[in-house]
């Protein structure tokens, strides 16, 4: 028998630095968005690790998570994600053990397998383990051990961290990440906001191969999407052009701050650039409240996912706040199908 329930909505904040803006302003905007998201009933608020990227201010992710968790009261706050190859598992356990001690039962730890940056920057992060991406599963197991219960034979301990059982998610855009999350019995988040192609296959693999674990008894899948809402469809399309221009800059190898929107994206990007950008952003949902409601409901029907995380990179901060307000307005109309 098919059952329906309200789908949780969450926020991914890349702390975008806009052209002409400053990093302190970016952090203030993230704080304001988090406070609004909590008031509107969003489930969790995640920040993502990126390095040496002029348009993203969340490089010191654990520090920024503490800033946001300290400003809010009840909403879960976490990493979407921490790039495990960049850090030793012990360092992550200590950082997130500290956060979980300060903000009990509110901290999530999403883990990614890629370094999230260029090779040169990865080297500058000075990990001695050059095979850390290859040893991803072993590093996840090691991290779990630091969060597990203390035992007499444990020599190295995460203090704080030991015994806190900080919830771990595996993030990814590949079948490998889906399979590993299934085999380890962990929740899985798919990055459809920039890698849409393998979404359905990844969800199928994750659900088919899932093995229950002490932390999770049945599969739990979340999808991250670009969702931009405005009072009219035309306004939303214009706001979306900033993200299109931003991805075009990355495709050219020249990423930078988030640019202002334009009235006609076809007059700014070449046809081949627009084709590539629109493919990358093909699962984005853009429009007025009705457009967004229909788009999200269709996605729920097609995927049966358990939670939606929304990335809303919008140049104008007030328009960004308004977008999350409009999305929250239609949340009660969305049904998760199980």
């Amino acid at each position: 028998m098919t059952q329906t329930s309200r789908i949780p909505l969450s926020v991914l904040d890349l702390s975008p630095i806009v052209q002409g803006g400053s990093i302190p302003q970016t952090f203030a905007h993230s704080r304001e968005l988090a406070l609004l998201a909590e008031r509107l009933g969003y489930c969790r608020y995640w920040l993502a690790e990126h390095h040496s990227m002029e348009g993203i201010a969340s490089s010191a992710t654990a520090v920024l998570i503490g800033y946001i968790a300290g400003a809010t009261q009840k909403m879960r706050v976490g990493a979407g994600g921490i790039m495990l190859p960049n850090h030793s598992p012990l360092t992550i356990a200590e950082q997130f053990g500290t956060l979980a001690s300060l903000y009990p039962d509110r901290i999530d730890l999403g883990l990614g397998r890629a370094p999230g940056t260029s090779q040169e920057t990865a080297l500058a992060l000075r990990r001695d383990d050059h095979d850390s991406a290859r040893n991803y599963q072993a590093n996840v197991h090691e991290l779990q051990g630091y969060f597990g219960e203390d035992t007499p034979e444990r020599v190295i301990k995460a203090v704080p961290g030991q015994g806190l059982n900080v919830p771990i998610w595996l993030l990814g855009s590949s079948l490998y990440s889906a399979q590993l999350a299934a085999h380890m019995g962990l929740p899985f988040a798919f990055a459809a906001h920039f890698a849409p192609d393998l979404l359905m296959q990844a969800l199928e693999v994750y659900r088919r191969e899932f093995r229950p674990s002490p932390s999770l008894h049945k599969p739990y899948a979340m999808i991250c999407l670009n969702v931009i809402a405005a009072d009219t469809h035309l306004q939303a399309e214009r706001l979306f052009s900033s993200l299109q221009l931003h991805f075009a800059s990355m495709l050219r190898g020249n990423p930078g701050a988030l640019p202002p929107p334009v009235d006609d994206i076809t007059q700014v990007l070449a046809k081949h650039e627009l084709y590539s950008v629109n493919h990358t952003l093909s699962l984005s949902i853009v429009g007025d409240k009705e457009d967004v409601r229909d788009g999200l409901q269709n996605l729920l029907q097609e995927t049966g996912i358990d939670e939606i995380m929304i990335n809303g990179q919008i140049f104008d901060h007030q328009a960004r706040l308004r977008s999350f307000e409009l999305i929250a307005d239609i949340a009660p109309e969305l049904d998760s199908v199980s």
Side-chain angles (χ1 to χ4, degrees), residues 10-26:
S10 295
V11 179
L12 176 67
D13 181 11
L14 299 181
S15 291
I17 305 167
V18 302
Q19 288 183 11
S22 69
I23 290 176
Q25 178 192 62
T26 297

Side-chain angles (χ1 to χ4, degrees), residues 77-151:
V77 184
I82 292 293
M83 300 298 108
L84 189 50
N86 297 338
H87 315 273
S88 72
L90 178 59
T91 298
I92 298 173
E94 291 171 341
Q95 290 175 351
F96 279 78
T98 300
L99 289 167
S101 298
L102 290 168
Y103 310 105
D105 300 318
R106 292 184 56 208
I107 301 298
D108 296 328
L109 174 54
L111 298 173
R113 187 167 66 104
T117 188
S118 67
Q119 184 177 1
E120 293 81 5
T121 305
L123 291 173
L125 289 166
R126 291 181 171 81
R127 277 304 309 275
D128 292 329
D129 179 8
H130 299 298
D131 290 326
S132 57
R134 233 177 283 171
N135 298 333
Y136 182 58
Q137 183 173 358
N139 287 331
V140 175
H141 277 298
E142 182 182 346
L143 183 54
Q144 287 180 312
Y146 291 132
F147 288 138
E149 295 302 320
D150 195 7
T151 59

Side-chain angles (χ1 to χ4, degrees), residues 43 54 57 73 78 84 147 163 167 172 177 207 276 291:
C43 178
E54 295 179 8
Q73 299 296 321
L84 189 50
F147 288 138
S177 300
R207 289 165 176 152
S276 297
D291 297 324

